[in-house]
Amino acid sequence: MRAASVSDFRELARRRLPNIFFEYIDGGSYAEVTLGRNVADLEAIALRQRVMRDMRALDMSVETLGQALAMPVGLAPVGMAGMYARRGEVQAARAAAAAGAPFCLSTVSVCSVEEVARGARPPWFQLYMLKDRGYMTELLGRAKAAGCPVLVFTVDLPVPGSRYRDIRSGFTGASGVAGAARQALDGLAHPAWMWDVWANGRPHSLGNVEGALAQKGRRVTDFLGWVARNFDRSVTWADLDWVRQTWDGPIVVKGVLDVEDAREAVRCGAQGVVVSNHGGRQLDGVKSSVAALPRIADAVGGELEVFMDGGVRSGLDVLKAAALGARACFVGRAWAWSLGAGGEAGVAQMLSILRSELAVAMILTGCRTMKDAGRELLDLD
């Protein structure tokens, strides 16, 4: 099967990856209502087709937070991507750099921030707030020393959402000998993955937080239990001041769905927000990211950068989000699927597909540059 779309990469990843890792990428929380809304609401938005517009010159580039992007797309933070392909975060970061797209590294990545910065270029760094503030200070210092240009502070995970697929697959809650045996059989059923990742992709740990863990040499899935127990549900907007004491670069607050929260981000001095419901993996039943986007962009778009993630599956979706006020979109599952399907080459191909689809959408809506992207591109009747 040759991938022609993001959905094709999903199917290829499903075939290649052990079930526990595919379901971890693919699933959402509870009944996955919000996960479905993210995709369906973008699909329901109609573009306004325009013709005979002389579209020979096309400029997809955008500038944001002091960086030039070749197109308004970045790779969102995805946990444990190093279990989808050998040293997966490094491979994805290289593909993103070649495409002129930012790569955001998760706190709970397999590859450390230092490894990714050496192997590709300094990534944007995503921060989860853990209870051990001393270690958080150390981690922020490491990200700064590695040259990370932007900090993405994720605020919608004070406690992990309940993800039924992970329980059913044995990713969570399957400890001991029985759990290890089940995971081993799952891996043995996928020999290409076993050779690429299990045999040659070690170490299998969470490189950014390993120093804070008392347990060494455990399965990578065991580390997540420690992380979940150490998420800090006491975090408030005042903690953004604490972050600023250590981090003097741009801060983007990720996980905003409400206009008042977006205004709080402005008051606290953030340089950007990501309109996001964590890909439908946290509070199920909330609105889609794209449904929340216009009001937030209208309220604070003149004061900070507004990004969006959640449900983006094509270049058409990227243009729709831009028309509703997003400076750029971040894709998560799209790059995780393509990494799981084909490593760095898969991620590069996925980004090329998005770029080609965005070009078609711009040409057939008469949008010559991303600066021209506004609500006039949409058929809202």
Side-chain angles (χ1 to χ4, degrees), residues 18 124 192 308:
W124 293 20
M308 191 200 86

Side-chain angles (χ1 to χ4, degrees), residues 26 41 62 66-68 95 134 192 202 217 246 254 259 278 324 335 340:
D26 201 60
D41 288 356
V62 296
Q67 293 190 302
R202 295 178 182 275
T246 304
K254 181 178 182 291
V259 168
H278 215 96
L324 291 171
W335 80 260

Side-chain angles (χ1 to χ4, degrees), residues 7 36-46 290 311 313 317 320:
S7 296
R37 283 177 183 164
N38 278 345
V39 177
D41 288 356
L42 272 165
E43 289 177 343
I45 296 170
V290 75
R313 301 289 186 266
D317 292 340
K320 292 173 184 179

Side-chain angles (χ1 to χ4, degrees), residues 18-20 177-191 193-194:
N19 187 55
I20 60 167
V177 175
R182 182 173 178 175
Q183 291 184 15
L185 290 172
D186 194 7
L188 289 170
H190 299 83
W193 176 89
M194 283 288 290

